[in-house]
Amino acid sequence: MKRREFIKISSIGLGGIALASSLYKWAPSDIFGQFLNDEVDEDTERIPTYCEICFWKCAGWIHKTADGRIKKITGNVDDPNCNGRLCPRGTGGVGMYYDEDRLTKPLIRTSDRGKDTFREASWDEALDYIAKRMREIADKYGPECTALFTHGSGGKYFGHLLNAFGSDNIGAPSYAQCRGPREVAFFTTFGSTIGSPEPTDIRDTKCLVLIGSHLGENMHNSQVQEMSDAIDHGASIITVDPRFSIAASKSKYWLPIKPATDIALLLSWIHVIIMEELYDKDYVAKRCHGFEELKQHVKDFTPEWAYGITTLEPQLIRDAAYEMAAAAPAVIVHPGRHVTWYGDDTQRMRAVAILNALLGSWGRRGGFFNPEIKHLPKYPAPPYPKPGKSWRDAFPGKFPLADSVLANGLCDATIPAPDRDCSFRTWIVNGTNLIETLPNRANTLKAIEELDLLVVIDTMPMEITGYADVVLPECTYIERYDEIREATQREGTLALRMPAAEPAGDSKPAYWMARELAIRLGLGDFFPHEKIEDLLDWQLNQVGSSLEEMQKIGVKKFKREYDDLYMRDSDEVTFNTNTGKIELYSTELANNGFDPMPVYTPHPEPPAGFYRLNYGRAPMHTFTRTSNNPNLTDLMDENTVWVNPKVAASWGLENDQYVKLQNQDGIISDFAVKVRVTERIRHDSVYMVHGFGHSNTRLSRAHGRGASDSQLITNVMVDPIMGGTGMRGNFVTFITNFEEA
Ligand SMILES: Nc1nc2c(c(=O)[nH]1)N[C@H]1C(S)=C(S)[C@@H](COP(=O)(O)OP(=O)(O)OC[C@H]3O[C@@H](n4cnc5c(=O)[nH]c(N)nc54)[C@H](O)[C@@H]3O)O[C@H]1N2
Ligand SMILES: Nc1nc2c(c(=O)[nH]1)N[C@H]1C(S)=C(S)[C@@H](COP(=O)(O)OP(=O)(O)OC[C@H]3O[C@@H](n4cnc5c(=O)[nH]c(N)nc54)[C@H](O)[C@@H]3O)O[C@H]1N2
Ligand code: SF4
Ligand SMILES: [Mo]
């Protein structure tokens, strides 16, 4: 196979299982085994889909009985995102279809915002109303005063609509509340973002370092499978987590770090790797910029120095560094995913990127591979009008390296301020539960109060739908076509989602809604295909496939065009950075007035009697979107607050006792949450799974079950480099005497 002349590692451009009945027993079969069932039963037909329960988007099959019942969903063996196995949530996706609390009619608000009082409306009435209001508001304030918040498949079509309308203010919480800092950090270091799925070569790694990345609870499918296989093949895992996570239980080294001190640990690792000459000398000499500056920068950051900050024994820090170095370059210091923690997150992620560079893992087998993506062409449409202003105008000079729209920025810029040039008047919210998703709820509600129009597209009655002027019910992924999934993987892979059932009630797919709105706004030219099938077929034809073929196979793989999954030592590589090298010293950060190399700054400590609020994932749930799912509530129907035994003793707390939590700003959780006394959390923190404590009473299973971490996240530490919202600087205390709601 030929090789590209110039390799730029992926220049995407800046721009029913309780997780194994036993926690400590963990083989792939424990987690996925019972779901590896790709067979077609005699009485069923299989319809291709990809999962919408999270953004790994595993491709699978919906099995439907002759009488039209959706029996189960299984993985597609040809899909590298899942290898034929769905995670518990994907299997439980059927519950999303059967959930009797679903939205099935367009709704128009009848009293104050937030009171959740609606009347049913016809689609014509709802869409006519939205189009008329959008126009009126745009005539007064300009089309740019329309913002779209979106997370999920339909976003493509609503995004297209918004661009056609004259606004590019399209934000997703997966940037500034999630991956943003790592994308900017890796871009400034390697000239390439990470993207999703992450191109981590876990399959072939010898050492996987997880820094607050709780794979095994964070169930990103193929990654968890590869990690499990790697362990079976003798790879070592190093986990840095203040909590004894599932991953920690599988680790050779668990570093129970004091929260908020990771940069100190990373700097001391860099110190050891450099000072003890454990770095990849050839790789660094040939490919990296700024080694001498870095060496000088870290000279005092010894493990002894880090011990005083992180509480980790110097020998443990050294041993872990030796373990990485011994495995290099087949080592991955995992970039994580939800990395918006303390406001200095881009710099922490830079330290992660630098460590990978020193170990020579970028572009190497067992480190990071060069992903391939098969892009489908966009359908030719008229050029978009050029927006007169953007969300950026509301933040002059701020967040210079933000390469995507900040969802929190759209929210902030909705609240009028004397020094601000951009106040949004219309929000379209598709598939994101902003009330629970954005930190600082009071701010979100203040912004919502300012709006002239709030349209929410969702499948379920959620906290955000309660505030809508108009709610548009989307049918579930089981009942619709969507855009073709393009996955960044070792090979280019496309996957089809098509309907296996008629939409419930009056629910409709996003494509239909976006097109109908476009027509009403006089933008029909942008949606020339009445049927999405014709659009998908046209796109597939351009890459030698067709809708008909995809309907049969579900997943199509494309051989790599070039033999450049890994870099060869002899390859001359120009990285997409200012210097063309991997930048240990970031010229881009320096040019923008930021520290060119990561610096540790202490963060506030919990006041006496308070504990740091730590949160994360459970294997059987995704954010707030699954907490009412009948299948998944069977597995877990409320969250608990993890409390260290010493702390529990000092408060007289017992297992299974309900408490309310109060944060540093006096915010008290709406609902009580069950205490789980466990050694697995440090004494300075408590932990809970995000996604519970729903206040919408229309959620018959989820309402009032458990507590919402989001409600307690009022202190937000914003990353000055790219605007990410650090959410882990909140502290809570216990209220044991409270009135039942
Ligand atoms: N406190 C706190 N906040 C967080 C996080 C956290 O851990 N704690 N995590 C952050 C991270 S990493 C992320 S990525 C974001 C996630 O943020 P979101 O994507 O907003 O997460 P969800 O809470 O799942 O909200 C999804 C919404 O989409 C709806 N939905 C589900 N399927 C469909 C569909 O097919 N069509 C439509 N139209 N709607 C659908 C659901 O009913 C739900 O209302 O949250 C961020 N915010
Ligand atoms: N089952 C399931 N899987 C999911 C999701 C889901 O909703 N459900 N969501 C997906 C999405 S969008 C994302 S972004 C990912 C998020 O998953 P990850 O990126 O893996 O995780 P985080 O939420 O950042 O991290 C949670 C872990 O960080 C630890 N932690 C807390 N504070 C600190 C600290 O100061 N230092 C260190 N080193 N560790 C700390 C916590 O104890 C916890 O174990 O999960 C994805 N996978
Ligand atoms: S990881 Fe699980 S929930 Fe996410 S897409 Fe895959 S099967 Fe669905
Ligand atoms: Mo995320």
Side-chain angles (χ1 to χ4, degrees):
M1 217 199 267
K2 53 192 172 148
R3 296 188 51 93
R4 269 176 250 250
E5 275 170 37
F6 246 38
I7 310 177
K8 254 199 253 154
I9 295 277
S10 115
S11 57
I12 307 165
L14 188 55
I17 83 176
L19 200 250
S21 33
S22 142
L23 188 65
Y24 304 99
K25 188 167 128 268
W26 186 33
S29 53
D30 293 334
I31 303 179
F32 299 99
Q34 56 183 302
F35 301 121
L36 180 54
N37 177 4
D38 195 35
E39 287 145 29
V40 198
D41 304 338
E42 269 172 18
D43 61 335
T44 58
E45 63 169 313
R46 320 188 294 188
I47 295 121
T49 189
Y50 58 86
C51 182
E52 184 79 7
I53 307 295
C54 87
F55 301 101
W56 212 248
K57 296 187 176 169
C58 300
W61 300 104
I62 299 173
H63 300 249
K64 188 177 155 183
T65 59
D67 60 359
R69 204 167 47 84
I70 306 294
K71 192 171 162 191
K72 62 180 179 183
I73 309 180
T74 59
N76 186 322
V77 285
D78 292 327
D79 184 33
N81 287 18
C82 77
N83 307 306
R85 294 162 163 169
L86 299 184
C87 86
R89 300 168 295 154
T91 306
V94 188
M96 188 175 175
Y97 169 72
Y98 283 115
D99 196 323
E100 68 287 3
D101 296 334
R102 279 176 60 177
L103 296 168
T104 53
K105 291 259 187 249
L107 302 172
I108 293 182
R109 183 164 63 79
T110 54
S111 77
D112 295 350
R113 263 199 199 124
K115 290 249 166 69
D116 205 5
T117 40
F118 295 99
R119 68 176 170 81
E120 291 180 357
S122 69
W123 276 102
D124 274 334
E125 185 189 3
L127 294 170
D128 287 347
Y129 175 80
I130 296 169
K132 180 168 160 279
R133 291 294 293 139
M134 278 176 77
R135 262 286 162 243
E136 284 168 359
I137 297 164
D139 286 348
K140 204 159 160 197
Y141 303 101
E144 305 87 351
C145 290
T146 317
L148 170 66
F149 297 79
T150 181
H151 201 197
S153 309
K156 182 97 168 190
Y157 303 119
F158 287 109
H160 182 52
L161 171 70
L162 213 75
N163 280 136
F165 189 59
S167 169
D168 57 5
N169 295 304
I170 303 168
S174 47
Y175 186 73
Q177 284 66 53
C178 179
R179 305 190 264 128
R182 78 166 196 204
E183 305 301 342
V184 174
F186 275 67
F187 189 82
T188 48
T189 310
F190 296 106
S192 167
T193 54
I194 292 278
S196 174
E198 290 84 13
T200 42
D201 205 14
I202 302 179
R203 183 180 75 185
D204 287 328
T205 200
K206 295 192 188 131
C207 178
L208 175 63
V209 186
L210 299 171
I211 302 173
S213 182
H214 56 333
L215 286 179
E217 286 150 297
N218 155 359
M219 282 302 280
H220 277 159
N221 195 338
S222 47
Q223 245 186 76
V224 181
Q225 293 184 35
E226 288 196 19
M227 171 171 159
S228 181
D229 290 346
I231 294 171
D232 287 349
H233 299 146
S236 56
I237 311 291
I238 298 171
T239 299
V240 182
D241 198 312
R243 188 177 63 95
F244 189 68
S245 60
I246 302 268
S249 74
K250 300 276 115 201
S251 296
K252 178 161 177 184
Y253 297 105
W254 170 44
L255 287 73
I257 193 166
K258 177 170 164 182
T261 65
D262 296 78
I263 294 183
L265 170 67
L266 285 156
L267 288 171
S268 72
W269 270 344
I270 294 171
H271 170 97
V272 173
I273 300 281
I274 292 182
M275 299 305 165
E276 302 193 28
E277 301 199 13
L278 300 170
Y279 58 96
D280 188 327
K281 295 207 181 79
D282 293 342
Y283 185 97
V284 168
K286 180 168 178 165
R287 309 207 186 276
C288 296
H289 167 81
F291 179 76
E292 287 308 323
E293 288 93 333
L294 180 66
K295 187 172 175 183
Q296 183 62 23
H297 178 65
V298 299
K299 72 177 185 327
D300 297 329
F301 301 140
T302 60
E304 285 69 22
W305 166 80
Y307 172 53
I309 296 168
T310 60
T311 72
L312 299 170
E313 296 285 346
Q315 197 54 46
L316 179 60
I317 296 178
R318 284 203 170 82
D319 288 344
Y322 300 155
E323 184 80 19
M324 290 178 225
V331 52
I332 301 164
V333 188
H334 198 288
R337 191 168 177 110
H338 172 64
V339 292
T340 46
W341 297 356
Y342 303 107
D344 50 6
D345 305 301
T346 304
Q347 291 291 14
R348 187 183 68 254
M349 287 294 109
R350 271 270 302 153
V352 167
I354 289 169
L355 197 54
N356 279 302
L358 293 172
L359 294 164
S361 67
W362 185 257
R364 309 289 276 284
R365 182 183 293 278
F368 293 78
F369 59 80
N370 178 19
E372 179 93 339
I373 185 160
K374 188 79 188 172
H375 282 300
L376 290 173
K378 286 196 181 127
Y379 192 83
Y384 293 140
K386 202 172 159 19
K389 59 181 179 177
S390 87
W391 68 275
R392 273 202 174 281
D393 297 315
F395 306 97
K398 286 174 110 178
F399 322 128
L401 269 64
D403 62 318
S404 290
V405 179
L406 309 177
N408 50 300
L410 296 177
C411 184
D412 292 348
T414 301
I415 303 168
D419 57 344
R420 211 167 262 162
D421 173 37
C422 189
S423 298
F424 291 103
R425 313 300 310 190
T426 298
W427 284 9
I428 301 175
V429 179
N430 173 56
T432 170
N433 190 9
L434 292 182
I435 309 290
E436 293 288 332
T437 297
L438 296 179
N440 191 355
R441 182 172 305 176
N443 196 61
T444 312
L445 295 179
K446 203 156 138 203
I448 287 176
E449 244 169 58
E450 294 292 337
L451 291 173
D452 291 339
L453 178 65
L454 172 54
V455 179
V456 178
I457 301 113
D458 208 301
T459 52
M460 293 292 297
M462 285 282 183
E463 284 64 37
I464 186 67
T465 56
Y467 288 89
D469 300 324
V470 187
V471 178
L472 300 180
E474 184 162 37
C475 52
T476 68
Y477 70 102
I478 290 170
E479 304 152 290
R480 66 185 199 231
Y481 281 104
D482 260 308
E483 60 175 316
I484 302 290
R485 187 210 72 187
E486 301 163 350
T488 51
Q489 274 288 2
R490 295 174 177 102
E491 286 176 296
T493 316
L494 300 178
L496 173 72
R497 169 187 289 164
M498 66 179 287
E502 287 296 315
D506 254 353
S507 62
K508 297 277 188 191
Y511 181 81
W512 182 89
M513 291 182 229
R515 184 170 182 274
E516 288 291 321
L517 268 175
I519 292 168
R520 285 167 171 79
L521 289 163
L523 303 168
D525 286 358
F526 288 86
F527 288 86
H529 296 99
E530 186 184 342
K531 294 170 87 180
I532 188 173
E533 289 93 315
D534 297 335
L535 168 61
L536 300 181
D537 192 45
W538 178 85
Q539 286 182 303
L540 288 164
N541 290 168
Q542 312 305 308
V543 295
S545 180
S546 65
L547 188 58
E548 198 186 348
E549 183 191 32
M550 291 300 287
Q551 287 171 338
K552 290 196 197 100
I553 58 178
V555 166
K556 191 173 170 84
K557 285 193 203 169
F558 296 80
K559 280 244 158 321
R560 283 183 84 90
E561 215 176 319
Y562 297 96
D563 173 23
D564 57 358
L565 186 61
Y566 307 115
M567 272 191 279
R568 289 197 195 119
D569 293 349
S570 57
D571 286 335
E572 291 301 326
V573 180
T574 304
F575 295 88
N576 194 14
T577 56
N578 294 333
T579 55
K581 301 258 182 192
I582 298 173
E583 295 201 353
L584 306 174
Y585 175 103
S586 169
T587 54
E588 190 64 22
L589 287 173
N591 291 347
N592 282 282
F594 299 111
D595 290 320
M597 291 171 294
V599 173
Y600 167 73
T601 8
H603 291 292
E605 301 279 329
F610 280 76
Y611 307 90
R612 190 179 293 274
L613 176 63
N614 179 359
Y615 56 82
R617 312 281 176 241
M620 59 298 272
H621 281 286
T622 303
F623 320 123
T624 72
R625 69 179 54 201
T626 55
S627 26
N628 200 63
N629 178 309
N631 298 0
L632 300 176
T633 43
D634 272 357
L635 304 179
M636 175 179 178
D637 64 355
E638 63 187 313
N639 60 356
T640 58
V641 57
W642 295 27
V643 181
N644 182 277
K646 284 201 200 88
V647 175
S650 76
W651 283 81
L653 298 177
E654 285 178 13
N655 246 333
D656 296 345
Q657 171 184 352
Y658 280 88
V659 295
K660 285 197 172 187
L661 300 172
Q662 177 172 358
N663 82 354
Q664 73 283 341
D665 294 325
I667 301 290
I668 300 174
S669 62
D670 283 344
F671 305 106
V673 58
K674 217 191 240 183
V675 169
R676 170 173 173 191
V677 180
T678 169
E679 292 281 0
R680 293 176 56 198
I681 183 77
R682 282 173 58 105
H683 63 277
D684 52 11
S685 308
V686 295
Y687 175 79
M688 55 204 278
V689 168
H690 168 62
F692 288 85
H694 277 280
S695 57
N696 194 318
T697 52
R698 295 171 194 251
L699 297 167
S700 58
R701 278 170 295 274
H703 172 252
R705 302 307 304 265
S708 157
D709 60 330
S710 315
Q711 191 183 9
L712 300 165
I713 299 178
T714 50
N715 179 38
V716 186
M717 292 171 292
V718 177
D719 191 323
I721 301 174
M722 51 60 68
T725 54
M727 310 203 279
R728 292 213 170 123
N730 290 270
F731 310 114
V732 295
T733 190
F734 306 103
I735 298 182
T736 49
N737 287 319
F738 54 87
E739 305 235 337
E740 291 291 345

